[in-house]
Amino acid sequence: MAMQRNRKLMAAPHSTTTHAPAPRWERRKEARPTELLSAALDLFVEKGYAATRLDDVAAQAGVSKGTLYLYYVNKEELFKAVVRQNIVPLVEHSEKLADEFEGDSAMLLRLLVQGWWERFINTRLSGISKLMISESGNFPELARFYHDEVIQRAHALMASVLERGMARGEFRYVDVRSTVQVLHAPVVMLSLWRNSFDLCCAKTLDAQAYLNSYVDLALSGLSNFDYVDRPPGKNS
Amino acid sequence: MAMQRNRKLMAAPHSTTTHAPAPRWERRKEARPTELLSAALDLFVEKGYAATRLDDVAAQAGVSKGTLYLYYVNKEELFKAVVRQNIVPLVEHSEKLADEFEGDSAMLLRLLVQGWWERFINTRLSGISKLMISESGNFPELARFYHDEVIQRAHALMASVLERGMARGEFRYVDVRSTVQVLHAPVVMLSLWRNSFDLCCAKTLDAQAYLNSYVDLALSGLSNFDYVDRPPGKNS
Amino acid sequence: MAMQRNRKLMAAPHSTTTHAPAPRWERRKEARPTELLSAALDLFVEKGYAATRLDDVAAQAGVSKGTLYLYYVNKEELFKAVVRQNIVPLVEHSEKLADEFEGDSAMLLRLLVQGWWERFINTRLSGISKLMISESGNFPELARFYHDEVIQRAHALMASVLERGMARGEFRYVDVRSTVQVLHAPVVMLSLWRNSFDLCCAKTLDAQAYLNSYVDLALSGLSNFDYVDRPPGKNS
Amino acid sequence: MAMQRNRKLMAAPHSTTTHAPAPRWERRKEARPTELLSAALDLFVEKGYAATRLDDVAAQAGVSKGTLYLYYVNKEELFKAVVRQNIVPLVEHSEKLADEFEGDSAMLLRLLVQGWWERFINTRLSGISKLMISESGNFPELARFYHDEVIQRAHALMASVLERGMARGEFRYVDVRSTVQVLHAPVVMLSLWRNSFDLCCAKTLDAQAYLNSYVDLALSGLSNFDYVDRPPGKNS
DNA sequence: AATGAATGAGTGTTCATTCAT
DNA sequence: TATGAATGAACACTCATTCAT
């Protein structure tokens, strides 16, 4: 599915020409969409949708502005492609991780958070969170797409973790749907923060401490009875 | 003043009134800033800074574009005024509430959240959260202002609650700084959500359930030992 | 593909020409600056800086307003380019002429004036004098540039003529600096006049007579003793 | 005559009201046009017509912008009033001086130049020269008015001086019309210079030396035979 | 495929002018 | 008379988009 989407995004460039001598150095050509998307991601994240000039995107990708239009019919589609391309792969890793994990649910949560940190929050990708929130009003279909393909899946994933924990007696009973939303909030906020106030204000947020407190608070909030999220063996 | 407005409405065609000849404009110097700010808040929140046209702001405030410039020297200052005017009063109410409260800390937290919901989240003011995050890159000084005058004070407030609870033995020991940040995240996220995905996607978030789970999770996460945040009388 | 494009063009109603289908615009990168500068000179001279609309400049140059901005970053720079481009070459011709001249100084003065008439005064370039005087207050740096690159050099040139004449005994002794300024005035004024009152008032100034009287007066004013500027051979 | 003109300029403010109680402190009211004209002169001279804002004129005159419109129907009329009011009185003094003078014509010329210096060039009034040249294209009627009422009369005056000198044998024969124009040029240029380059460039023009050279050059250029304009008694 | 010159609709801002008070 | 709030036409400048090459 992801592949299909990708193919669609790449604006099929008249690829039926017969006499193309199949040069061995076409890598450039094939890399174009990626380079453009990468440049666009940088700039959209840095400046926001409206303030990003296609001139700059093209320049940063090392092509002319006209070339950009060979691959994306307009700014809007470029923006959507940026979001789609970068977002979809994100979720899958986590899903696989959760699927295969066999330890206790607290540890699973820890691992997931760790993965999000490494693959998203601590990455320029986290800027997409800000973009989506900022532009959801102007790109409702895109927001819907993001909601369905990313947020919902992430929520579903965390819901499965919660239910797993509850089923195994590790977590107390909670209302899954809303608890998932609450538990997600600090992760998303961290992404937003690093792409907003962290950039203009004296660094006031220590990400590691934040995440530690987050996991600590979440797990103790979820803990069953006297179950406390301490390293195994330390429970009374 | 209300009457004046009425007069205006009655001036609609076939107005049989003999005097009050439908002035081209009304002189309402004192009311203007408020009206303009209100219109601007609506539009900035709805469309974002760049996509908001001053024509529309003026039109929605019922004045011409030129009039807008009598009160705000440019779009940027209008934006700043919107943020400043609406924000600062918010914090003060909470601070007072916390100052005067004498019950247990869990209840204090509940009250605060309740107040935020009523006065901010469930209000168009919550759009300012989105604005500040979206535009922090383009208005760093404003972001700094917001950070210092709003976020920091809100954090300080919550820190005082935490410390109060820890001092009274109601809350377990936590790292205050980072815990405060984590605990704030779901509140802010709720504001953001209601100004982004809630508007374009099928309502998937039940705010009441969300806040309940939030408080529940937070309090159980903070609870000391066997201390559990249950309705009074059920504590052992 | 090219055919497809053509098809589109031929869809134009009643177009009987089969080829050369009147392109929406022409690509004339090298010619543009010249055309724009020429149009701008016309309009600046005719209407003054403020009253000249860039729309009109572009239209007169046969391009769109956007194109103008491809070549000049703003109105001010366009104005400066107009002045710079047209002015400097002017001075050089005179300097060369004076350098190479070997006859008597009166004749040199006549030749210079003749040259100024042909290459400047009797040309739309003379409008630049008016421009510089009119806009010196608003473009002080440009005025300084003009003063240094044009006026000072012209003054220096005329000073050299005076000193040459004094050295050769043709001219009486005068205070060079101020005499130069006085002698320049009628030349500049003629330029100004032709770009101001001559355009709105019944032609009251006969340029040839004016220049004749000017040279006559200047030379007799400068003449040494009984030296009178009469055709050679008539000197006693 | 001047009074008549003046009355016209002052835009007769509903002066037929009968019940005006003739307050003794109406000086203010009557001074308004003068104050406005004075402020306008300052600003027009300093900034030029287009760049002068009526806000500023009103402010500098100490009235509101609306008041300005009680006296002048629009910016254009204000501009014309400024020119007219300041210009007309100028010529008359010179005319009277020339009429009554009885000495030799060289001395008359000296006196006239002296008067122009004191009453015009060395005054903010000289800015009007720049204004008229700058705006002649946009205000042709005004230019025509200025040409007829000022320039022509000044030329006529100087023509009479020339003819007087020629009739008395003090000046050689010259073509009066064009010589007058040439002789006027340095005087006007001095005015222009002081309102343009003198303001932005290092003072390079010594007005006294300039005027001395001017008179010296003019008189020696006009001198009859061996007549040289030196202090009496020094002629050979 | 790629270019980049050209376009023109769109918007922030200014300011002369109006008019109810 | 005098005020100053309000107007709206005008204009400089931007930038996404087009298209001949």
Side-chain angles (χ1 to χ4, degrees):
Chain A
M1 191 190 75
M3 297 228 32
Q4 278 190 14
R5 277 195 202 281
N6 266 346
R7 195 138 24 109
K8 196 161 149 202
L9 287 173
M10 288 184 200
H14 309 278
S15 49
T16 49
T17 53
T18 50
H19 54 289
R24 73 188 55 174
W25 264 98
E26 284 296 69
R27 255 196 253 165
R28 208 70 254 230
K29 201 186 298 181
E30 283 157 24
R32 282 288 143 77
T34 306
E35 289 162 356
L36 283 165
L37 248 21
S38 176
L41 174 59
D42 282 353
L43 288 164
F44 281 138
V45 162
E46 183 188 339
K47 302 183 189 285
Y49 177 77
T52 293
R53 288 165 39 208
L54 294 192
D55 281 293
D56 292 340
V57 173
Q60 181 158 330
V63 301
S64 74
K65 199 166 29 163
T67 300
L68 197 159
Y69 277 85
L70 293 178
Y71 293 94
Y72 304 98
V73 299
N74 55 28
K75 191 182 187 180
E76 191 171 330
E77 290 305 317
L78 173 65
F79 182 68
K80 292 178 181 174
V82 164
V83 174
R84 290 205 186 91
Q85 148 130 145
N86 288 288
I87 278 314
V88 177
L90 272 186
V91 202
E92 282 155 5
H93 180 267
S94 298
E95 287 175 338
K96 199 171 168 192
L97 179 70
D99 257 12
E100 297 170 353
F101 187 76
E102 303 205 329
D104 68 290
S105 303
M107 183 53 71
L108 176 54
L109 187 67
R110 288 179 196 282
L111 283 176
L112 287 171
V113 170
Q114 172 74 3
W116 293 334
W117 167 254
E118 285 166 5
R119 295 165 199 281
F120 184 71
I121 305 174
N122 198 26
T123 287
R124 63 179 184 162
L125 290 182
S126 60
I128 290 180
S129 297
K130 190 179 81 168
L131 277 179
M132 285 314 308
I133 289 192
S134 304
E135 303 298 339
S136 59
N138 299 319
F139 298 95
E141 339 93 85
L142 188 58
R144 239 168 277 132
F145 169 81
Y146 184 80
H147 180 265
D148 297 344
E149 296 299 320
V150 180
I151 301 181
Q152 287 297 31
R153 282 170 75 178
H155 280 183
L157 173 57
M158 182 155 276
S160 75
V161 175
L162 279 192
E163 272 154 359
R164 183 184 190 272
M166 283 159 58
R168 291 167 57 125
E170 296 157 340
F171 296 159
R172 67 183 173 99
Y173 171 78
V174 292
D175 176 55
V176 174
R177 166 180 277 272
S178 56
T179 302
V180 157
Q181 291 163 339
V182 170
L183 286 176
H184 252 300
V187 176
V188 178
M189 271 306 297
L190 181 54
S191 294
L192 297 175
W193 189 273
R194 289 169 64 90
N195 286 280
S196 53
F197 299 110
D198 247 19
L199 301 174
C200 60
C201 305
K203 282 261 164 57
T204 57
L205 186 143
D206 173 345
Q208 288 309 325
Y210 180 94
L211 285 176
N212 285 339
S213 287
Y214 165 62
V215 173
D216 175 46
L217 209 57
L219 291 181
S220 55
L222 292 170
S223 75
N224 204 355
F225 291 85
D226 52 354
Y227 180 104
V228 183
D229 179 62
R230 299 206 188 85
K234 295 193 70 171
N235 291 346
S236 61
Chain B
M1 193 185 72
M3 299 237 22
Q4 278 191 12
R5 277 195 201 283
N6 270 345
R7 190 138 30 104
K8 200 163 154 196
L9 289 172
M10 291 160 70
H14 314 292
S15 161
T16 49
T17 53
T18 50
H19 39 287
R24 276 207 303 149
W25 40 264
E26 264 183 281
R27 186 183 285 238
R28 319 188 55 236
K29 180 165 194 193
E30 310 76 34
R32 288 288 184 241
T34 306
E35 294 164 351
L36 286 166
L37 248 24
S38 176
L41 174 58
D42 284 352
L43 287 163
F44 281 142
V45 163
E46 182 188 337
K47 301 182 188 289
Y49 178 78
T52 294
R53 287 164 33 208
L54 293 189
D55 278 300
D56 292 341
V57 173
Q60 180 158 332
V63 300
S64 74
K65 202 166 28 163
T67 299
L68 197 161
Y69 278 86
L70 292 179
Y71 296 92
Y72 302 97
V73 298
N74 54 29
K75 193 182 186 180
E76 188 170 333
E77 289 304 319
L78 174 64
F79 182 72
K80 292 180 179 173
V82 165
V83 175
R84 288 209 185 85
Q85 149 131 145
N86 288 289
I87 280 312
V88 176
L90 277 185
V91 200
E92 279 153 6
H93 180 266
S94 297
E95 288 176 337
K96 198 171 170 195
L97 177 70
D99 255 13
E100 297 170 352
F101 187 77
E102 304 206 326
D104 67 291
S105 302
M107 183 53 71
L108 175 53
L109 187 68
R110 288 177 197 282
L111 282 175
L112 286 171
V113 170
Q114 172 75 2
W116 293 334
W117 166 256
E118 284 167 5
R119 296 167 197 281
F120 184 70
I121 305 173
N122 197 27
T123 287
R124 62 180 187 160
L125 290 183
S126 59
I128 290 181
S129 297
K130 190 180 82 168
L131 275 181
M132 284 315 307
I133 289 193
S134 304
E135 303 300 340
S136 59
N138 299 320
F139 298 95
E141 349 91 29
L142 187 57
R144 239 168 276 131
F145 167 81
Y146 186 80
H147 181 264
D148 296 345
E149 296 300 318
V150 181
I151 300 180
Q152 288 293 35
R153 284 172 73 177
H155 281 182
L157 173 57
M158 183 154 277
S160 75
V161 175
L162 280 192
E163 270 153 359
R164 181 182 189 274
M166 283 159 57
R168 293 166 57 125
E170 296 157 338
F171 296 160
R172 66 185 175 95
Y173 172 81
V174 293
D175 176 54
V176 173
R177 167 183 276 271
S178 55
T179 301
V180 157
Q181 291 164 339
V182 170
L183 286 174
H184 251 298
V187 176
V188 179
M189 269 308 295
L190 181 54
S191 294
L192 297 175
W193 188 274
R194 289 169 64 91
N195 286 279
S196 53
F197 299 111
D198 245 18
L199 301 174
C200 61
C201 304
K203 281 262 164 61
T204 57
L205 187 142
D206 174 346
Q208 287 309 326
Y210 180 96
L211 286 176
N212 284 339
S213 287
Y214 164 62
V215 173
D216 175 48
L217 207 59
L219 291 181
S220 55
L222 293 170
S223 74
N224 204 355
F225 291 84
D226 51 356
Y227 181 104
V228 182
D229 178 61
R230 299 208 190 84
K234 293 194 72 170
N235 291 348
S236 59
Chain C
M1 192 185 75
M3 299 232 25
Q4 279 190 11
R5 280 194 202 283
N6 268 347
R7 195 135 30 101
K8 200 161 151 199
L9 289 172
M10 290 160 71
H14 310 293
S15 162
T16 48
T17 54
T18 50
H19 40 286
R24 277 206 303 148
W25 40 265
E26 264 181 284
R27 187 183 282 240
R28 320 188 53 237
K29 177 162 197 197
E30 309 77 34
R32 290 287 184 240
T34 306
E35 293 164 353
L36 285 165
L37 248 25
S38 177
L41 173 59
D42 282 353
L43 287 164
F44 281 142
V45 163
E46 182 188 338
K47 302 182 188 290
Y49 179 78
T52 293
R53 287 165 33 210
L54 293 192
D55 277 302
D56 291 342
V57 173
Q60 181 157 332
V63 300
S64 73
K65 198 168 28 167
T67 299
L68 197 160
Y69 279 87
L70 292 179
Y71 296 92
Y72 302 97
V73 297
N74 55 29
K75 193 180 186 180
E76 190 169 332
E77 289 304 318
L78 175 64
F79 182 73
K80 291 180 181 173
V82 165
V83 175
R84 288 209 184 87
Q85 148 130 145
N86 289 288
I87 279 313
V88 176
L90 278 184
V91 199
E92 280 154 7
H93 180 267
S94 297
E95 289 175 337
K96 198 172 171 196
L97 177 71
D99 254 13
E100 296 169 354
F101 186 77
E102 304 205 328
D104 68 290
S105 302
M107 183 54 72
L108 175 54
L109 186 68
R110 288 178 196 282
L111 282 175
L112 285 171
V113 170
Q114 172 76 0
W116 292 334
W117 167 254
E118 284 166 6
R119 294 168 199 281
F120 184 70
I121 305 173
N122 196 27
T123 285
R124 62 181 186 159
L125 291 183
S126 59
I128 290 180
S129 297
K130 191 180 82 169
L131 275 181
M132 285 313 309
I133 289 193
S134 303
E135 303 300 338
S136 59
N138 299 320
F139 299 94
E141 351 92 31
L142 187 57
R144 242 168 273 131
F145 166 81
Y146 186 80
H147 180 264
D148 296 345
E149 296 299 318
V150 180
I151 301 180
Q152 287 295 33
R153 284 171 73 177
H155 281 182
L157 172 58
M158 183 155 276
S160 75
V161 174
L162 281 192
E163 270 153 1
R164 183 183 189 274
M166 284 158 56
R168 293 164 58 123
E170 296 158 338
F171 295 160
R172 68 187 174 95
Y173 171 81
V174 292
D175 176 54
V176 173
R177 165 183 277 272
S178 56
T179 301
V180 157
Q181 291 164 338
V182 170
L183 286 175
H184 252 298
V187 176
V188 178
M189 269 307 295
L190 181 53
S191 294
L192 297 175
W193 189 272
R194 288 171 63 91
N195 286 278
S196 52
F197 300 111
D198 246 18
L199 302 174
C200 60
C201 305
K203 281 263 164 57
T204 57
L205 187 143
D206 174 345
Q208 286 309 325
Y210 179 96
L211 286 176
N212 284 340
S213 286
Y214 164 63
V215 173
D216 175 48
L217 209 57
L219 291 180
S220 56
L222 292 169
S223 73
N224 203 357
F225 291 85
D226 52 356
Y227 180 103
V228 182
D229 178 61
R230 299 206 192 86
K234 295 194 70 172
N235 291 347
S236 61
Chain D
M1 192 187 73
M3 298 230 28
Q4 279 189 13
R5 275 194 204 282
N6 266 346
R7 190 132 35 101
K8 197 161 150 200
L9 289 173
M10 289 181 201
H14 309 278
S15 49
T16 49
T17 54
T18 50
H19 54 288
R24 72 188 56 175
W25 265 99
E26 283 296 71
R27 255 194 254 166
R28 211 66 255 233
K29 199 186 304 182
E30 282 157 26
R32 281 288 144 76
T34 306
E35 290 163 356
L36 284 166
L37 250 21
S38 176
L41 173 60
D42 283 352
L43 287 164
F44 282 139
V45 162
E46 183 187 338
K47 303 185 188 285
Y49 178 77
T52 292
R53 289 165 36 207
L54 294 192
D55 280 292
D56 293 340
V57 173
Q60 181 158 332
V63 301
S64 73
K65 198 164 34 163
T67 301
L68 197 159
Y69 277 85
L70 293 177
Y71 294 92
Y72 304 98
V73 298
N74 56 26
K75 191 181 188 182
E76 190 169 333
E77 290 305 319
L78 173 65
F79 182 69
K80 292 178 181 175
V82 165
V83 174
R84 289 204 185 92
Q85 149 131 141
N86 288 288
I87 278 313
V88 176
L90 273 187
V91 203
E92 282 155 3
H93 180 266
S94 298
E95 287 175 339
K96 198 170 171 196
L97 178 70
D99 257 13
E100 297 169 352
F101 187 77
E102 303 204 329
D104 68 290
S105 302
M107 183 52 72
L108 176 53
L109 186 67
R110 288 177 195 284
L111 282 175
L112 286 171
V113 170
Q114 172 74 3
W116 292 333
W117 167 255
E118 284 168 3
R119 294 166 200 281
F120 183 71
I121 304 174
N122 197 27
T123 287
R124 62 178 185 162
L125 290 182
S126 61
I128 290 181
S129 297
K130 191 179 81 168
L131 276 179
M132 283 315 307
I133 289 192
S134 303
E135 303 298 339
S136 60
N138 300 319
F139 298 94
E141 341 91 86
L142 187 59
R144 238 168 276 131
F145 168 82
Y146 183 80
H147 179 265
D148 296 346
E149 297 299 322
V150 181
I151 301 180
Q152 287 297 32
R153 284 170 75 178
H155 281 183
L157 172 58
M158 182 154 277
S160 75
V161 175
L162 279 193
E163 271 153 357
R164 182 184 190 272
M166 282 159 58
R168 293 165 58 127
E170 296 158 340
F171 296 161
R172 66 183 173 99
Y173 171 80
V174 292
D175 176 54
V176 174
R177 166 181 276 272
S178 56
T179 301
V180 158
Q181 290 164 340
V182 169
L183 286 175
H184 251 299
V187 176
V188 178
M189 270 307 297
L190 181 55
S191 294
L192 297 175
W193 189 273
R194 289 169 63 91
N195 286 279
S196 53
F197 299 109
D198 246 18
L199 301 174
C200 61
C201 304
K203 282 261 166 59
T204 56
L205 187 143
D206 174 346
Q208 288 309 325
Y210 179 95
L211 286 175
N212 285 338
S213 286
Y214 164 63
V215 172
D216 174 46
L217 208 57
L219 292 180
S220 55
L222 291 170
S223 73
N224 206 356
F225 292 84
D226 50 356
Y227 182 105
V228 182
D229 179 62
R230 301 207 189 83
K234 294 194 71 172
N235 292 347
S236 61

